[in-house]
Amino acid sequence: MTDLRSSDDLLAEANNQVVFMTAWADFTSALNASLGIGDVLHTASSILRQIFGFDQTIMVVVGPRGDLTAMRTLPERPDSVEGFRLERDHWLVARTLGNGAEFWGDPNANGGIDELAGHDRARSVTALPLIAPDGRVGCLVAVSLTDDFDVRQIKTSVTNAAREIATASDRVVNFERSRLEAITDPLTELYNRRYFTEALRNEIRKAQRLGYPLGLFMIDIDDFKLVNDTYGHLAGDDVLKSVANWIERSVRASDLVARFGGEEFVVVVVGCPEDELVVLAEKVRAAVEDVVVEAARPERKNVTVSIGAAYFGDVSMSAEDLISRADGALYDAKGSGKNRVVVSEQAVA
C-alpha cells in the first residue's frame, strides 16, 4: 500500500524549501557584499546557526602576506566576531587547510579544539577546507554544543555553503593583497612613501584638532653604500630587510613605520610626549646595532643608523615642516659622527 503524505506535510515541506531558498539567496548576497574576512565570517555564522543549527563558527584564512588570520564567533555572542592567535600546526587546521581533508566528528580527537573554539564545551565539530579556484584559502569550522546534533542530513548543504564562503574569502583576500601592494614597499613590506605622506598629514590634522603628542623619526643606515659596493646589492637588500624588521619591533603598535626611500626609513610616533621621544629613538638605534651583515661573515660587521627626531609642537606646522625638521636633525646626526640620535632644536615653537 502506498504511503501517501498528508497535504499538511507537503505544505510544511514546501514552506521549508521556500525558507531555505530565501535564506540561501540572502546568504550569497551578503557574501558578495563582504568587505573583509570578519564580514564573511559573520555571514557564514548566520546561515550555519539559523539554518543548520550550529552554535559557533570559526574561520582560518591565509592572509595576503601568507600569514594566518583566525577569527571566530562565540556561542554566547553569535553576532560578534573576534580574532585570535593560532599556530599553523594545530591538528585540525593542518588536516583541513594543510591537507585538504574534511573532518566530521569528535571535537576531543587529537587533543581537542579548545584553542580554536576558546572554550571546552564543544560536542561535535565539522571542519571543511575552503577551496577557491586557485587552491585552498583557509578552513571553516562549525561547532555544536549539544550531544544529539546530527550532521548527516545537512552534509551536502554545508559543503555547498563552504564553497560559497571560500569564493568570498578568496575575493576579499585578493582585494586586500592588491590594496597592500599599492601602499607597501615590496622589499621590506613596510608602508611606502606615498602612504606615509598621507598618513602623516592625517595624523597632523588629528593632532591639531585633539592636541595629542606627535613626533617623527627620520632614520638613515650609516655607510650603506659601502655595504652595497663591498658585498653586493643582495647583501644590501638583506640589511634593509633586517633593519626594517628591527625598527618595527622596537617601536609601539600605534606607531607607523615606512620606507622613505633608498636606505632611509621614517616612523610616525603617535601619542609620545616630547620628553620620551629621544628615549624611543635611542631604543630603535640600539636595537639596529644587533643587525649583522651576513655576507661579511666570519667577520662581524654590525649595522648602525643615525636618527633625526622632530616633535609636532606648533599647530600651524605642516607635514612638510615636520619632515624638514626631522631631516635637518638627521643631517646633524650624520655630520656629528653617525650612530646617534639628534632631536630638532626647533621642536617647540
Side-chain angles (χ1 to χ4, degrees):
M1 181 177 179
T2 303
D3 183 16
L4 297 177
R5 289 182 292 173
S6 70
S7 58
D8 288 343
D9 290 338
L10 293 173
L11 181 60
E13 182 177 323
N15 285 337
N16 288 337
Q17 186 68 14
V18 170
V19 169
F20 178 82
M21 295 303 296
T22 301
W24 188 265
D26 291 343
F27 165 65
T28 55
S29 176
L31 283 179
N32 289 334
S34 296
L35 299 178
I37 292 299
D39 296 334
V40 175
L41 174 56
H42 187 271
T43 301
S45 172
S46 294
I47 195 167
L48 290 173
R49 184 178 74 255
Q50 296 171 9
I51 301 300
F52 301 125
F54 289 102
D55 297 297
Q56 181 181 19
T57 305
I58 304 157
M59 281 178 56
V60 180
V61 176
V62 181
R65 291 177 171 170
D67 52 330
L68 293 185
T69 297
M71 307 188 80
R72 65 192 172 204
T73 62
L74 290 175
E76 59 273 17
R77 290 188 286 114
D79 290 328
S80 63
V81 172
E82 68 173 20
F84 64 100
R85 293 184 62 84
L86 179 71
E87 299 300 326
R88 192 180 290 264
D89 60 357
H90 186 280
W91 71 270
L92 195 56
V93 175
R95 179 187 179 102
T96 51
L97 174 56
N99 298 327
E102 299 178 358
F103 182 86
W104 309 76
D106 183 4
N108 297 311
N110 303 303
I113 65 164
D114 295 0
E115 181 185 355
L116 276 174
H119 58 81
D120 60 359
R121 293 173 287 146
R123 294 295 176 265
S124 71
V125 60
T126 294
L128 301 172
L130 295 175
I131 304 174
D134 294 333
R136 291 190 292 274
V137 297
C139 63
L140 174 72
V141 180
V143 174
S144 173
L145 305 186
T146 57
D147 291 317
D148 58 351
F149 187 79
D150 187 358
V151 77
R152 289 174 296 180
Q153 295 183 359
I154 59 173
K155 271 191 172 185
T156 299
S157 295
V158 172
T159 301
N160 290 337
R163 292 195 186 100
E164 298 289 342
I165 294 166
T167 300
S169 299
D170 189 45
R171 176 183 57 78
V172 166
V173 169
N174 283 333
F175 176 81
E176 179 63 15
R177 183 180 293 113
S178 298
R179 189 187 73 85
L180 282 175
E181 288 174 354
I183 64 174
T184 304
D185 172 59
L187 178 65
T188 63
E189 296 187 348
L190 298 177
Y191 290 117
N192 59 25
R193 181 169 178 168
R194 175 182 296 179
Y195 181 82
F196 151 74
T197 303
E198 187 58 35
L200 179 60
R201 287 173 179 156
N202 288 335
E203 290 297 339
I204 284 181
R205 284 193 287 267
K206 287 191 288 185
Q208 289 170 332
R209 187 172 69 253
L210 303 175
Y212 64 73
L214 184 68
L216 179 67
F217 298 158
M218 296 285 292
I219 305 171
D220 185 83
I221 301 176
D222 296 326
D223 303 315
F224 182 72
K225 184 176 184 302
L226 184 61
V227 173
N228 275 337
D229 291 346
T230 305
Y231 305 106
H233 285 83
L234 291 180
D237 287 350
D238 288 340
V239 168
L240 287 169
K241 288 186 284 188
S242 296
V243 169
N245 179 54
W246 277 103
I247 293 173
E248 204 165 29
R249 291 169 60 178
S250 302
V251 298
R252 304 157 311 160
S254 59
D255 300 328
L256 185 147
V257 185
R259 185 180 180 190
F260 195 67
E263 64 270 27
E264 275 194 317
F265 302 88
V266 285
V267 181
V268 181
V269 186
V270 180
C272 182
E274 183 180 3
D275 57 353
E276 296 178 16
L277 201 64
V278 69
V279 175
L280 183 59
E282 283 288 355
K283 180 183 176 184
V284 173
R285 186 200 60 76
V288 173
E289 284 186 316
D290 287 333
V291 176
V292 176
V293 182
E294 294 294 335
R297 292 187 183 276
E299 175 190 356
R300 183 178 177 87
K301 180 174 178 57
N302 291 80
V303 177
T304 64
V305 294
S306 298
I307 302 178
Y311 183 75
F312 178 79
D314 181 352
V315 293
S316 66
M317 189 184 297
S318 67
E320 290 72 22
D321 292 335
L322 191 59
I323 292 171
S324 178
R325 293 186 181 186
D327 195 45
L330 174 61
Y331 181 84
D332 292 341
K334 301 290 279 189
S336 58
K338 303 176 184 176
N339 190 23
R340 63 191 60 206
V341 174
V342 172
V343 180
S344 171
E345 294 181 356
Q346 302 176 14
V348 180

